[in-house]
Amino acid sequence: MSQETDAVAAVAEDAEVMASVETGPAGETFILADITRDDAYVTAPLQDAASLPEWR
């Protein structure tokens, strides 16, 4: 998966996006994924993920 910050992503009108938090040996990871496509996801350490009020 590319880590380029200037990449532009297109979202299909029929996309179904879900988020979750996974706990593992490295700590908690935030996962945001379009479950209608293969390999369409991003991950970040939970402490680095923006909260909902920060996105507004």
Side-chain angles (χ1 to χ4, degrees):
M1 184 168 68
S2 175
Q3 296 295 323
E4 295 179 20
T5 57
D6 59 350
V8 176
V11 177
E13 289 182 21
D14 59 349
E16 189 170 343
V17 179
M18 299 181 80
S20 70
V21 175
E22 181 177 293
T23 302
E28 294 181 309
T29 302
F30 176 76
I31 303 166
L32 182 64
D34 177 351
I35 62 171
T36 62
R37 299 182 50 165
D38 290 336
D39 298 324
Y41 66 93
V42 294
T43 64
L46 183 59
Q47 68 268 13
D48 294 340
S51 67
L52 186 55
E54 291 173 339
W55 281 96
R56 292 184 177 164

